[in-house]
């Protein structure tokens, strides 16, 4: 029998520099077996012996904890139904610096006589000289920064990570990267240098363009451990001998953009070539080492390159390149004109009706007039050419969300060969695929995936342009879709760590995570009063639960438990303690059910329902108890299930009771004697059905009403932010699959097909983001409405993860063909291996092929009502089509 494959450490394929001393291990079973009975692990000196166990995902080991910088090979073999496997090929793991005491390097800050206004500050160059007596056998550089850094050794850029050290709540966590730099060092003098810009740390950040949020000076920390060929060890560190200067990058702001005067670039500054600049000693800062940790997620990288479809002159004379799709990253320009040519690159998601690149939709549609002057939409790079041959401008210290770039300046006509859009995002491992017979649905899938990736730049953001913030509600509603498409386990773990640390004492979760304002958020004039919304803070419970479902990470539930409890307990308190003034005015004595009716506090509510929107003032006083109480029910119910997983029996019982009380409170308040729900909107009905708010006997009539409401508006979506992801699944589950398909394929707005028909290449924030005059409004790259593609995975193809089988150890295959679709297929690289579902209509019958990976089981539910439980291997099914489908 063959051997286990795809060995992984925590959630990483490449586990170097990890700071988890007892990482969990995973492997895939050999493909020629069905089930594992036992395993044996070998790691360095340690050997587990034969362990009777079926576990192969996130296996905690008894291996001695890693020591700092320790490197171990590890292997696994398994006993299965097919006998004992061979040992797997060895995989490696290597620790970074685990303890604050391991750090000898000094934090260094570039010399900065005057500090320019935020958004206008240059990048700094820092360098140190490493003199080596002989050749090096190994060298590891552990690096981080307050700001964004790029590392160079002897003129070569190190690694392919971008925007390092990434975005975390820097008050509590700062990520360290570890690089292998051995091959670049040579005997004698070596130059180690870094380009350092403001980044998230002190650059312009978030909707309100706050700056200097985490500090007022940037800083670099580097510690390099070397082994020389004679076996001696050496450590090279950032320290007071380092010097700094400014170079060609005279402005570098992650949101605003980069200005580079290439004439001022000290060419060869890390190659040992002397330059004419004045290098000034750096300042040593006492910043400490307590917050340092490796990221559990893969790094941000350049993942793709796009050439423009066209470059043409706009009426204003600018050269406008159209990349054909709305991407996130930056533009690499290789035609810069003769020395001294100044070019401005303006990035936008849309054109004005007369063909100019616009950034107006990167700011809110409606805002006080003075805001427009105050809020810089950003996304502008400027370059001054030095006239060298082969010169290229690539502004890596600022990301942009764009489909178009306008190049302004005195330049010959550009051709598509002169520009490249460089696509940048967290290098998440793709895990999910979907295709079907309808090209429109395939395109919808494609634009939703693109939207997600553009919003996965170290954190899950709402949009890559206007705010770039890790909005909690957005991730909570999209995470199930994302977890099918990509491995977002480490990515979410990282984000959840910040969520828990930034949560307030009273359980309130910041609106976005990381919250650059930290504790000051509560006093922020525009955010302070808008905290603690139901549906947003519930990310504290929903995200860990979804990650557990998709990857089986039980330890994450354990870690997040206090955070989840704090959020739900706050909701319980809010329900118990306050009363909405309207209710109090109408009914002086609270009714008993009000103890569990959450009718106070600020809530975004359903948010962005089609039609008129409540203004901010109104939002602050609205009674949102129909939404908030539903979430109290939902999250306490999840918490009770999580408690069961964690073996916390008393808590499981407590939250089960609370969720039942909240459910009854919701019914008492919002279901009348005739069984009608009030307010009777699509969203309320969807939530009633999705969150199990009503008894089974009421479900059919509610589903019927929902269908009527959908029909009443011409078979269109009437839900907003929160309920939209549940709309189609709820319809399909209550017997209205045909209607779900009709909604999906509806092409008049509000609808997904309307977006596609109007040229969307990413999912829009508003249903009609491009109006009838061709004017763009708000973000054109908000993944939230793209969560609908989960319906394609779970219902059209029919592949669903089950609560009882976390990590797809047990999953369901239940396709729901409709709308004349003749075939569909989905695949998912689960933690146990690849699952595949493919069905095809052959006229009278439909045939389906299901691949179940070793170590898992599938429950199959066919459209004709037949059921089967199947184990690993490939299975074929066939059913007779309904008359209307034949
Ligand atoms: C918007 C964000 C986000 C949403 C919040 C309520 O500004 O873009 O998508 O969750 O507000």
């Amino acid at each position: 029998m063959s051997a286990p494959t795809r060995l992984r450490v925590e959630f990483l394929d490449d586990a170097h520099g990890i700071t988890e001393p007892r990482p969990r291990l995973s492997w895939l079973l050999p493909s020629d077996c069905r089930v594992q009975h036992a395993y044996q692990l070998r790691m360095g000196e340690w050997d587990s012996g034969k362990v009777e166990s079926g576990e192969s995902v996130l296996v905690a080991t008894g291996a001695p904890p890693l020591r700092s910088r320790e490197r171990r090979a590890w292997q696994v073999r398994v006993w299965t139904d097919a006998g004992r496997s061979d040992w797997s090929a060895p995989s490696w793991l290597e620790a970074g610096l685990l303890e604050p005491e391991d750090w000898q390097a000094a934090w260094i800050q570039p010399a900065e006589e005057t500090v320019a206004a935020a958004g206008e500050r240059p990048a700094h160059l820092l360098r140190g000289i490493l003199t080596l007596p002989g050749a090096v056998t190994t060298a590891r550089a552990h690096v981080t920064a307050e700001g964004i850094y790029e590392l160079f050794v002897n003129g070569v850029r190190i690694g392919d990570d971008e925007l390092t050290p990434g975005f975390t709540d820097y008050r509590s966590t700062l990520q360290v990267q570890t690089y292998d730099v051995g091959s670049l060092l040579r005997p004698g003098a070596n130059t180690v240098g870094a380009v350092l810009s403001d980044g998230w740390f002190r650059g312009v950040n978030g909707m309100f363009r706050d700056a200097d949020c985490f500090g007022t000076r940037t800083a670099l920390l580097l510690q390099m451990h070397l082994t020389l060929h004679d076996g001696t060890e050496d450590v090279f560190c950032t320290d007071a001998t380092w010097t700094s200067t400014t170079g060609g990058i005279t402005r570098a702001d992650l949101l605003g953009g980069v200005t580079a005067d290439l004439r001022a670039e000290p060419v060869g500054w890390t190659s040992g070539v002397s330059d004419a600049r004045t290098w000034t000693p750096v300042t040593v800062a006492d910043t400490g080492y307590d917050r340092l940790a490796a990221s559990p997620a893969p790094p941000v990288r350049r993942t793709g390159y796009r050439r423009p479809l066209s470059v043409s002159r706009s009426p204003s004379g600018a050269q406008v390149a159209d990349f054909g799709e709305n991407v996130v990253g930056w533009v690499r320009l290789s035609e810069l004109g003769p020395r001294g040519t100044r070019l401005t690159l303006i990035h936008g998601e849309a054109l004005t009706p007369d063909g100019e690149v616009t950034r107006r939709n990167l700011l809110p549609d409606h805002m006080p007039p003075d805001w427009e002057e105050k809020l810089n939409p950003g996304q502008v790079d400027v370059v001054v050419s030095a006239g060298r041959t082969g010169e290229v401008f690539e502004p890596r210290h600022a990301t942009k969300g764009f489909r178009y770039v306008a190049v302004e300046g005195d330049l010959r006509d550009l051709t598509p060969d002169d520009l490249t859009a460089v696509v940048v995002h967290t290098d998440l491992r793709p895990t999910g695929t979907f295709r079907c017979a309808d090209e429109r649905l395939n395109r919808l899938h494609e634009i939703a995936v693109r939207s997600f990736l553009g919003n996965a730049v170290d954190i899950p953001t709402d949009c890559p342009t206007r705010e770039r913030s890790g909005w909690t509600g957005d991730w909570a509603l999209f995470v199930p879709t994302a977890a099918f498409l990509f491995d977002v386990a480490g990515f979410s773990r990282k984000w959840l760590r910040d969520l828990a640390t930034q949560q307030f004492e009273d359980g309130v979760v910041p609106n976005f995570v990381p919250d650059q304002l930290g504790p000051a958020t509560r006093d922020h004039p525009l955010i302070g009063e808008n905290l603690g919304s139901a549906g947003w803070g519930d990310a504290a419970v929903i995200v860990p639960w979804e990650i557990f479902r998709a990857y089986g990470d039980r330890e994450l539930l354990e870690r997040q438990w206090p955070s989840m409890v704090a959020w739900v307990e706050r909701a319980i308190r809010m329900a118990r303690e306050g009363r909405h003034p309207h209710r109090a005015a109408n009914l002086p004595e609270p009714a008993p059910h009000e103890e569990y009716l959450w009718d106070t506090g600020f809530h975004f509510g359903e948010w962005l329902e089609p039609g008129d929107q409540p203004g901010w003032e109104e939002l602050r006083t609205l009674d949102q108890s129909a939404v908030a109480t539903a979430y109290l029910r939902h999250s306490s119910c999840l918490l009770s299930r999580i408690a069961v997983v964690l073996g916390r029996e008393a808590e499981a019982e407590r939250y089960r009771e609370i969720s039942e009380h909240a459910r009854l409170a919701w019914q008492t308040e919002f279901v009348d004697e005739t069984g009608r729900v009030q307010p009777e909107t699509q969203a309320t009905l969807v939530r009633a059905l999705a969150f199990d708010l009503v008894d089974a006997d009421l479900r059919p009539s509610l589903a019927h009403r929902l269908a009527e409401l959908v029909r009443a508006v011409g078979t269109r979506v009437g839900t907003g932010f929160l309920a939209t992801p549940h709309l189609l699944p709820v319809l399909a589950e209550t017997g209205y699959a045909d209607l779900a398909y009709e909604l999906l394929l509806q092409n008049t707005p509000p609808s997904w097909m309307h977006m596609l028909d109007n040229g969307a290449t990413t999912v829009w924030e508003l249903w009609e983001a491009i109006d009838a005059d061709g004017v763009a409004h708000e973000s054109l790259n908000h993944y939230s409405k793209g969560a609908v593609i989960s319906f394609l995975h779970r219902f059209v193809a029919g592949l669903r993860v089950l609560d009882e089988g976390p990590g797809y150890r047990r999953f369901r295959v239940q396709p729901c063909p409709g709308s004349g679709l003749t075939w569909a297929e989905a695949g998912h690289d689960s933690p146990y291996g690849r699952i595949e579902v493919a069905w095809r209509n052959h006229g009278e019958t439909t045939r389906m092929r299901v691949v179940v990976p070793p170590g898992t089981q599938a429950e199959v539910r066919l459209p004709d009502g037949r059921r089967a439980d199947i184990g690993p291997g490939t299975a074929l099914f066939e059913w007779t089509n309904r008359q209307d489908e034949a």
Side-chain angles (χ1 to χ4, degrees):
M1 192 183 44
S2 49
T5 54
R6 268 222 38 238
L7 273 57
R8 306 212 303 145
V9 177
E10 286 293 317
F11 294 101
L12 298 168
D13 294 318
D14 181 12
H16 68 275
I18 57 171
T19 48
E20 173 54 59
R22 296 176 184 274
R24 296 166 295 171
L25 306 175
S26 308
W27 55 88
L28 292 189
L29 298 182
S31 54
D32 42 1
C33 77
R34 293 167 60 84
V35 57
Q36 171 186 306
H37 301 309
Y39 65 81
Q40 184 176 7
L41 288 163
R42 246 180 359 204
M43 188 197 284
E45 307 286 279
W46 176 79
D47 189 325
S48 69
K50 182 176 174 183
V51 180
E52 306 289 339
S53 162
E55 301 302 318
S56 56
V57 170
L58 296 171
V59 177
T61 77
L66 286 167
R67 283 169 284 114
S68 281
R69 304 192 293 111
E70 189 183 349
R71 183 173 165 83
R72 289 180 191 164
W74 70 281
Q75 282 174 290
V76 60
R77 68 176 173 183
V78 291
W79 284 260
T80 71
D81 57 301
R84 195 187 72 190
S85 78
D86 294 333
W87 282 103
S88 68
S91 183
W92 291 91
L93 57 84
E94 187 178 308
L97 301 178
L98 302 180
E99 303 296 334
E101 300 77 59
D102 296 326
W103 285 93
Q104 313 166 24
W107 275 101
I108 55 169
Q109 297 172 338
E112 205 174 14
E113 254 164 44
T114 51
V115 180
E120 300 299 329
R121 298 167 186 157
H124 288 89
L125 310 179
L126 297 93
R127 76 177 174 197
I129 306 296
L130 161 63
T131 309
L132 291 170
V136 152
T137 51
T138 63
R140 293 285 185 277
H142 307 281
V143 191
T144 189
E146 294 189 327
I148 285 176
Y149 75 87
E150 290 178 64
L151 183 67
F152 295 82
V153 173
N154 293 331
V156 177
R157 174 142 185 242
I158 302 304
D160 55 4
D161 300 7
E162 297 293 345
L163 308 177
T164 47
F167 191 18
T168 47
D169 167 35
Y170 299 129
R171 296 174 188 86
S172 55
T173 304
L174 188 56
Q175 299 180 148
V176 177
Q177 286 74 41
T178 295
Y179 306 99
D180 178 354
V181 293
S183 62
L184 293 168
L185 297 171
R186 49 179 184 244
N190 297 270
T191 311
V192 181
V195 180
L196 181 62
S197 69
D198 285 7
W200 293 278
F201 187 80
R202 75 167 189 180
V204 174
N205 217 320
M207 176 71 253
F208 302 111
R209 309 305 193 236
D210 300 287
D212 298 319
C213 293
F214 298 96
T216 55
R217 299 288 305 273
T218 55
L220 178 74
L221 180 72
L222 173 145
Q223 183 162 315
M224 196 188 287
H225 287 262
L226 310 125
T227 312
L228 299 171
H229 76 296
D230 63 1
T232 53
E233 299 207 343
D234 199 359
V235 186
F236 171 70
C237 295
T238 41
D239 61 17
T241 69
W242 281 55
T243 53
S244 75
T245 188
T246 52
I249 304 180
T250 56
R251 177 188 66 113
D253 186 76
L254 192 55
L255 191 150
V258 163
T259 299
D261 185 342
L262 301 181
R263 297 169 304 186
E265 197 58 35
V267 178
W269 66 279
T270 61
S271 321
V273 180
S274 66
D275 56 69
R277 299 201 74 89
T278 314
W279 290 79
T280 313
V282 296
T283 313
V284 169
D286 185 15
T287 310
Y289 311 101
D290 295 339
R291 306 161 295 158
L292 306 178
S295 174
V300 173
R301 291 197 174 104
R302 286 170 283 180
T303 60
Y305 302 91
R306 307 278 183 273
R307 287 281 188 209
L309 300 181
S310 64
V311 189
S312 55
R313 294 268 176 191
S314 70
S316 72
Q319 305 205 53
V320 173
D322 174 4
F323 291 97
E325 58 188 77
N326 199 16
V327 298
V328 173
W330 48 71
V331 170
R332 185 193 277 166
L333 183 62
S334 58
E335 171 55 48
L336 304 178
R339 186 176 172 83
T341 308
R342 185 185 169 86
L343 303 172
T344 304
L345 285 76
I346 302 169
H347 305 72
E349 298 185 304
L351 299 179
T352 60
D354 50 9
E356 303 292 348
V357 173
T358 178
R359 292 178 300 148
R360 179 60 189 86
N361 69 303
L362 309 185
L363 296 178
D365 230 16
H366 304 287
M367 54 183 179
D370 60 317
W371 279 30
E372 207 160 333
E373 291 139 42
K374 270 197 290 200
L375 295 186
N376 173 9
Q379 309 215 124
V380 175
D381 296 325
V382 177
V383 60
V384 180
S385 150
R388 297 188 194 100
T389 43
E391 201 165 63
V392 173
F393 175 55
E394 184 176 348
R396 291 189 294 258
H397 289 250
T399 57
K400 277 97 6 180
F402 64 100
R403 171 176 168 168
Y404 303 95
V405 66
V407 181
E408 293 177 354
D410 185 10
L411 195 63
R412 70 145 165 86
D413 283 354
L414 293 169
T415 74
D417 289 343
D418 299 321
L419 306 104
T420 309
V422 182
V423 181
V424 177
H425 55 78
T426 297
D427 199 3
L428 300 166
R429 185 170 58 91
T431 53
T433 52
F434 171 85
R435 280 194 65 74
C436 71
D438 190 327
E439 267 315 308
R440 292 170 298 171
L441 294 179
N442 295 336
R443 271 205 296 141
L444 175 64
H445 196 265
E446 184 186 312
I447 75 164
V449 170
R450 184 177 299 123
S451 250
F452 169 56
L453 287 176
N455 280 295
V457 183
D458 214 42
I459 61 159
T461 56
D462 59 331
C463 58
T465 47
R466 183 183 70 218
E467 304 182 39
R468 308 167 175 221
S469 293
W471 277 91
T472 51
D474 303 43
W475 190 228
L477 65 83
F478 197 80
V479 71
T481 315
F484 178 84
L485 297 167
F486 294 92
D487 182 345
V488 293
F491 181 74
S492 301
R493 268 182 85 88
K494 162 187 178 295
W495 185 80
L496 284 167
R497 179 171 59 191
D498 283 339
L499 182 146
T501 352
Q502 294 208 286
Q503 198 169 2
F504 293 93
E505 274 293 299
D506 62 358
V508 167
V509 173
N511 283 346
F512 35 82
V513 172
D515 183 344
Q516 65 275 8
L517 299 167
T521 266
R522 283 218 134 138
D523 306 319
H524 193 282
L526 296 161
I527 301 174
E529 284 181 44
N530 301 351
L531 289 169
S533 171
W536 272 256
D538 292 278
V541 183
I542 295 170
V543 177
W545 172 246
E546 290 296 338
I547 296 299
F548 171 69
R549 271 160 50 90
Y551 306 99
D553 189 354
R554 184 179 178 281
E555 189 268 334
L556 177 71
L557 296 179
E558 196 77 71
R559 193 190 78 179
Q560 297 297 125
W561 176 258
S563 155
M564 303 186 227
V565 166
W567 169 255
V568 172
E569 289 293 339
R570 179 212 175 231
I572 297 169
R573 271 196 320 275
M574 294 284 285
R576 191 181 342 115
E577 286 168 8
R579 281 191 94 200
H580 194 274
H582 292 170
R583 190 165 283 104
N586 288 337
L587 196 77
E589 275 304 305
H593 74 276
E594 287 187 36
E595 192 176 343
Y596 294 94
L597 189 78
W598 184 6
D599 62 352
T600 51
F602 171 83
H603 300 283
F604 294 108
E606 176 59 16
W607 189 249
L608 298 187
E609 263 165 313
D612 287 340
Q613 297 295 311
W616 284 107
E617 281 311 314
E618 195 186 347
L619 214 50
R620 287 197 191 115
T621 53
L622 265 188
D623 178 353
Q624 299 270 21
S625 50
V627 178
T629 310
Y631 272 92
L632 172 56
R633 147 73 178 168
H634 185 56
S635 281
S636 52
C637 184
L638 291 182
L639 200 53
S640 157
R641 288 201 232 167
I642 292 167
V644 172
V645 173
L646 298 179
R648 297 174 174 271
E649 280 159 37
E651 285 111 320
E653 188 49 28
R654 168 173 166 74
Y655 294 113
R656 200 195 55 72
E657 277 173 18
I658 283 166
S659 79
E660 193 48 35
H661 282 303
R663 184 173 186 263
L664 290 174
W666 196 89
Q667 291 176 6
T668 312
E669 191 74 18
F670 304 112
V671 185
D672 68 18
E673 324 67 72
T674 68
R676 288 276 279 254
V677 161
Q678 299 295 341
E680 201 181 41
T681 63
Q682 287 190 27
T684 314
L685 290 164
V686 167
R687 231 182 322 275
L689 293 161
F691 291 176
D692 185 30
L693 294 168
V694 295
D695 292 339
D697 57 340
L698 257 192
R699 289 178 71 84
S701 67
L702 258 55
H704 181 73
R705 272 306 285 159
L706 173 60
E708 282 180 350
L709 292 189
V710 170
R711 291 282 184 219
V713 288
T715 312
R716 293 203 188 85
V717 192
T719 48
F721 216 68
L722 295 178
T724 299
H726 301 287
L727 174 61
L728 271 46
V730 154
L731 286 171
E733 265 166 357
T734 53
Y736 295 90
D738 292 344
L739 185 57
Y741 273 99
E742 278 184 61
L743 273 176
L744 188 59
L745 294 168
Q746 169 64 265
N747 54 12
T748 57
S751 72
W752 290 276
M753 290 305 137
H754 172 79
M755 289 190 201
L756 282 181
D757 292 345
N758 284 271
T761 60
T762 43
V763 180
W764 297 343
E765 181 176 18
L766 305 179
W767 290 111
E768 292 173 79
I770 308 277
D771 69 19
D773 300 324
V775 177
H777 301 271
E778 306 284 0
S779 155
L780 300 189
N781 197 356
H782 243 70
Y783 55 56
S784 53
K785 288 181 171 59
V788 70
I789 64 167
S790 187
F791 179 78
L792 303 178
H793 310 145
R794 292 185 291 144
F795 290 82
V796 177
L799 174 47
R800 308 181 199 175
V801 65
L802 291 173
D803 292 357
E804 315 84 69
Y808 289 83
R809 196 159 193 184
R810 191 174 170 83
F811 57 92
R812 178 176 288 185
V813 177
Q814 185 172 2
C816 175
S819 155
L821 210 59
T822 51
W823 62 269
E825 57 186 39
H828 178 71
D829 283 307
S830 81
Y832 294 91
R834 179 130 186 110
I835 301 170
E836 284 174 20
V837 179
W839 58 259
R840 185 178 280 275
N841 183 321
H842 293 270
E844 302 270 287
T845 61
T846 297
R847 282 178 224 150
M848 178 171 74
R849 179 175 167 274
V850 179
V851 179
V852 181
T856 69
Q857 285 184 320
E859 44 181 74
V860 181
R861 303 280 181 270
L862 301 180
D864 64 6
R866 278 181 298 147
R867 297 165 164 237
D869 271 14
I870 58 173
T874 301
L876 299 173
F877 299 88
E878 183 164 357
W879 62 88
T880 311
N881 294 325
R882 287 191 339 232
Q883 274 310 291
D884 54 335
E885 281 173 2

